[in-house]
Amino acid sequence: MSETPIPEAVAHQTAHFPEGLALDCGALVSPLDVAYRTYGTLNAAKSNAVLVCHALTGDQYLAETHPVTGRAGWWQAIVGPSRPLDTDRFFLICANVLGGCMGSTGPASPMSPGSDRLWGTDFPNVTIRDMVRAQKKLVDHLGIERLLAVVGGSMGGMQVLEWAATYPRAVFAAAPIATAPHHSAQNIAFQEVGRAAIHSDPDWRGGRYWEEPGLVPAKGLSVARMVAHITYLSEQALTRKFGRRLRGAPALTFLEDVFEVESYLRHQGSTFVRRFDANSYLTITRAMDFFDLAEAHGGELSAAFQGTPTRFFVASFSSDWLFPTSESRALVRALNRAAANTSFVEIASDKGHDAFLLEEPEFHAALGGFLNGAAERLGV
Amino acid sequence: MSETPIPEAVAHQTAHFPEGLALDCGALVSPLDVAYRTYGTLNAAKSNAVLVCHALTGDQYLAETHPVTGRAGWWQAIVGPSRPLDTDRFFLICANVLGGCMGSTGPASPMSPGSDRLWGTDFPNVTIRDMVRAQKKLVDHLGIERLLAVVGGSMGGMQVLEWAATYPRAVFAAAPIATAPHHSAQNIAFQEVGRAAIHSDPDWRGGRYWEEPGLVPAKGLSVARMVAHITYLSEQALTRKFGRRLRGAPALTFLEDVFEVESYLRHQGSTFVRRFDANSYLTITRAMDFFDLAEAHGGELSAAFQGTPTRFFVASFSSDWLFPTSESRALVRALNRAAANTSFVEIASDKGHDAFLLEEPEFHAALGGFLNGAAERLGV
């Protein structure tokens, strides 16, 4: 496999910060680029901005055709006039995370401007808070003092929580969705399998695959994507999609895909490597694994939100076993202990973790209601 | 990595069948070796034999030090005088499955006697029923007409069900534990990830790694073991064992294991490759994936047991998400429809699928009661 993950021709909308960013680990990433997209119009008071945070393998192409895959934006279902992320009312901002590979500074970026030497595995460890700090620089750069809302699911929800904890005065409303205040041992374990698969691929070359043009650890990254993809679906969703349906002839073969679910997973794996950098995958999964908001606040989660002015909308999905409802409930209890204005909904769905990205009318209505209520409170 | 998975010096107790075995796929495996171990003494009436079926990565070393790993037998906890598998009362037989790598004929066996050419990926696809047919030949060879009981968990439980369906008159009592009458789409998907990891390892060499002495696809097999291992544990068990405990210094590093769960999984993966053949892993996981007892009986599971004289003991564990209680209940409903003598217990445990191998006193008491009851009925 020798495809370049990101075509050179993709021109990202990018904010450039020559001063760079100091990270939690002590390293300085300089310069810092934050690639982003916006949708809708910022009003004169700059009071209608909604920051949308993407998940592990998402990017800034929230609601438009993706420049690499040609597919619809990852949350296009809820963006547009009269939709929950209403572009007639809100100015949406979506930025590629620090450590990502769609234009923001990450392992695939040059170590210094114009250099052929990429960061690769020398890219420092980033945390969810580092990602949020990079987004804050973008929001400041856009002249926005307070975001009407910060919204995101999965790792995006971790960023929402970190925004509310770190910049409470800059977040009027926060919607952490299908997420948790820390990554569980099981989730760490699944991500470790993915990382081990990448490390095991000889084309990873100890992280230095970028030294050979076009070389990517496609097999390892593909296996990582396969295992992650299973965790995004519920058992019911997998069964509904595939059951135990055989693919083609019933002849028993040793090497071929025999079940439809196998072909589907292999396809998921192989399309992913076209658009995602393996060292970015290592960097971002590790950031998720390190996320532990309680630990960062003396072991007491409610301390992260003490006296917060932010209003919260917490949503979980009943069949999500990656970020189960029990973790959202623990978050809600902590928000209650902090006397935060909090609403919580568990959406009945059999689609698993991916439900937050899919057609879930009850979820869309609840999120839309929360955002519109916040907008009305601010007179937007 | 260049360790030979199975030391040459291990001498297995083996039954040799020169006529071979005709498989479901139409192929003939000839000759057929079935490696096995026995514990306890066969009585004069040959009425006290209990066949124990092992799971995916188990073998015949049920209750003694393993010749490769030096660790205790995989079900030693329940074998011995006054234990559920009471060696004062029962004659226990445990055979390595067809397709395995501990002495029974499998992909690591010579294609013909004395040949240097191993089966490798030319080994035909085997089914759970083929495994059971091979065991039946061993049981016949030992002169046993009817087994007092067939007992097994996970893939061992699949074999128990197949024994009862295929040879009902030869099975007085059957104990399928932590198992299901078919493999779910989710389970197939997880096994496909493991197979993809093996296929991706260049040392697998399209299955021909055996051509180079000592070469094994250690990295791929290790990743396969890691992902499987996560599915054997409950979220609670992983959290109790590791939580989010950091390993050593809190310094953020890019490449090292940082969480204890990572080190544990890597260790699980690397010890496994010392004792297991990768092509066996491919063969046996595929056999599990193909298992669908209802489909083999016109789509109606109860038809597999219609008029059965066998008594059944079905057991599941509350935190087992690989073979959840719902699947055992579906099995029990089918047994009820077939008017089979059936008892069912769901054991409250937070240890996940692995619970069936661990200290679970309530489970041990229930299984022991069932087996002793069956023995008393037969006057053993």
Side-chain angles (χ1 to χ4, degrees), chain A residues 24-25 107 120-127 182-193 195-197 199-202 204 206 219-220 223 226-227 230-231 233-235 238-239 242-244 246 250-259 261-263 265-266 279 282-283 286 288-292 295 321 327, chain B residues 24-25 107 120-127 182-193 195-197 199-202 204 206 219-220 223 226-227 230-231 233-235 238-239 242-244 246 250-259 261-263 265-266 279 282-283 286 288-292 295 321 327:
Chain A
D24 275 333
C25 67
T121 52
D122 293 318
F123 195 74
N125 262 279
V126 302
T127 63
H182 68 257
H183 223 207
S184 72
Q186 191 176 69
N187 290 2
I188 293 172
F190 277 122
Q191 299 219 119
E192 174 59 12
V193 170
R195 289 191 290 262
H199 293 160
S200 296
D201 188 332
W204 184 59
K219 287 177 171 175
V223 169
M226 284 170 71
V227 67
I230 299 172
T231 69
L233 299 178
S234 65
E235 163 66 33
L238 265 173
T239 302
F242 310 105
R244 297 177 35 84
L246 298 177
L252 306 181
T253 60
F254 197 93
L255 292 175
E256 293 170 281
D257 292 344
V258 178
F259 295 97
V261 65
E262 299 179 339
S263 291
L265 286 174
R266 287 192 200 225
N279 286 336
L282 297 172
T283 299
R286 187 50 67 85
M288 291 180 77
D289 289 352
F290 268 108
F291 184 63
D292 189 344
E295 199 210 41
W321 57 278
E327 296 186 350
Chain B
D24 275 335
C25 67
T121 51
D122 292 320
F123 195 73
N125 262 279
V126 303
T127 63
H182 68 257
H183 223 206
S184 71
Q186 191 176 69
N187 290 2
I188 293 172
F190 277 121
Q191 299 220 119
E192 175 58 12
V193 169
R195 288 190 291 261
H199 292 160
S200 297
D201 188 332
W204 183 60
K219 287 177 171 173
V223 169
M226 285 170 69
V227 67
I230 299 172
T231 68
L233 299 178
S234 64
E235 163 66 33
L238 265 173
T239 302
F242 310 105
R244 297 176 36 84
L246 298 177
L252 305 183
T253 60
F254 196 93
L255 292 175
E256 292 170 279
D257 293 343
V258 178
F259 294 97
V261 64
E262 299 179 339
S263 291
L265 285 175
R266 286 192 201 225
N279 286 336
L282 298 173
T283 299
R286 188 52 66 87
M288 291 180 76
D289 289 351
F290 268 107
F291 184 63
D292 189 345
E295 199 209 40
W321 57 278
E327 297 186 349

Side-chain angles (χ1 to χ4, degrees), chain B residues 321-340:
Chain B
W321 57 278
L322 195 64
F323 290 95
T325 292
S326 57
E327 297 186 349
S328 282
R329 285 193 197 282
L331 170 62
V332 168
R333 282 195 298 274
L335 289 166
N336 287 340
R337 282 198 301 280

Side-chain angles (χ1 to χ4, degrees), chain B residues 151-162:
Chain B
V151 180
S154 196
M155 187 184 81
M158 292 176 170
Q159 294 161 62
V160 172
L161 293 173
E162 193 67 68

Side-chain angles (χ1 to χ4, degrees), chain A residues 192-344:
Chain A
E192 174 59 12
V193 170
R195 289 191 290 262
I198 293 169
H199 293 160
S200 296
D201 188 332
D203 288 343
W204 184 59
R205 297 201 181 179
R208 300 179 77 89
Y209 54 90
W210 51 269
E211 289 177 337
E212 183 165 322
L215 184 70
V216 293
K219 287 177 171 175
L221 188 56
S222 174
V223 169
R225 177 63 168 177
M226 284 170 71
V227 67
H229 200 80
I230 299 172
T231 69
Y232 301 155
L233 299 178
S234 65
E235 163 66 33
Q236 300 98 302
L238 265 173
T239 302
R240 189 174 48 240
K241 265 185 166 160
F242 310 105
R244 297 177 35 84
R245 280 198 303 278
L246 298 177
R247 186 169 164 274
L252 306 181
T253 60
F254 197 93
L255 292 175
E256 293 170 281
D257 292 344
V258 178
F259 295 97
E260 286 190 5
V261 65
E262 299 179 339
S263 291
Y264 173 75
L265 286 174
R266 287 192 200 225
H267 175 74
Q268 284 290 328
S270 63
T271 58
F272 181 60
V273 303
R274 286 175 47 223
R275 69 174 179 91
F276 217 87
D277 175 60
N279 286 336
S280 265
Y281 196 84
L282 297 172
T283 299
I284 297 173
T285 55
R286 187 50 67 85
M288 291 180 77
D289 289 352
F290 268 108
F291 184 63
D292 189 344
L293 201 51
E295 199 210 41
H297 291 82
E300 172 50 51
L301 183 57
S302 65
F305 306 110
Q306 211 61 53
T308 183
T310 304
R311 59 195 55 211
F312 290 84
F313 168 81
V314 178
S316 70
F317 297 86
S318 57
S319 60
D320 183 349
W321 57 278
L322 196 64
F323 291 95
T325 291
S326 57
E327 296 186 350
S328 282
R329 285 193 196 282
L331 170 62
V332 168
R333 283 195 298 275
L335 288 167
N336 287 340
R337 281 198 300 282
N341 179 340
T342 305
S343 68
F344 168 61

